[in-house]
Amino acid sequence: MTRPILYHCKDARSFRCLWAAEELGLDYDLVTMPFPPRFHVPEYKEINPLGTIPCWVDGDLNMTESAAICQVMARGSALEVLPDEPDYARYLNWLHRSDATLTFPLAIMLRYSVFPKPEERKLDVAEDYKLFFLGRARSIEAALADGREWLVAGRFTVADIAIGYSVMLALTLRLKADLGPNTLAWWERLSERDGFKAAKARQQG
């Protein structure tokens, strides 16, 4: 049997999946490509016609949504929250919020303030989406306000990974001063995990 393959770009949304795979100790192959792969690795579109990352290929399974891949990876492990647990619905909500609500505005910031040539940047648009993100990031701060260490179920789960990547991206965009103390303390716990460090090291290779 062939091993699953994760198609990845350094520190992009696929990092969620890389981090989850390392936390879970999965046996898989990693293919790291330059960003954006649809331009730099045109043959990649034969694997994922969207040309986006991540792409998780496991036999006949081909998945392209980072939070969904994390959810599937976590099945049967302590990083999953089961339907009969009280926080199951909150767990699903965080997973969906991670990309649709939190990563989306940051991606727009990158699109208009980082990737273009300086003369083509639209900093007013980027600023609008920065505020969009920060307004929604208050949900993380509020969820951790009662002193809990992790978002749901009293333990570290892939919900922490999915949302944690959004904070990681925000820090890359120099938004640390705009994030709350609960969020930053939680991020500190996340970034000290062996799985996070292993994912960072593996993508360098």
Side-chain angles (χ1 to χ4, degrees), residues 34-120:
F35 185 87
R38 63 183 177 275
F39 295 137
H40 297 292
V41 191
E43 62 271 24
Y44 173 59
K45 294 188 78 172
E46 297 175 12
I47 298 161
N48 175 13
L50 296 174
T52 58
I53 45 90
C55 186
W56 174 249
V57 179
D58 187 0
D60 293 334
L61 181 66
N62 186 312
M63 299 181 69
T64 60
E65 292 297 325
S66 60
I69 294 168
C70 290
Q71 185 177 353
V72 167
M73 285 179 171
R75 285 185 301 190
S77 77
L79 271 64
E80 176 186 34
V81 178
L82 297 173
D84 60 355
E85 293 186 70
D87 271 356
Y88 176 67
R90 293 184 181 88
Y91 165 72
L92 292 182
N93 198 53
W94 282 116
L95 283 174
H96 287 272
R97 182 180 297 176
S98 65
D99 219 30
T101 301
L102 293 170
T103 306
F104 166 72
L106 296 174
I108 299 297
M109 285 185 66
L110 286 166
R111 170 67 181 83
Y112 287 107
S113 67
V114 176
F115 294 151
K117 297 175 182 178
E119 65 273 15
E120 296 173 353

Side-chain angles (χ1 to χ4, degrees), residues 18-32:
L18 176 58
W19 183 1
E22 291 300 315
E23 289 279 359
L24 292 160
L26 300 185
D27 184 22
Y28 68 102
D29 290 322
L30 181 67
V31 176
T32 302

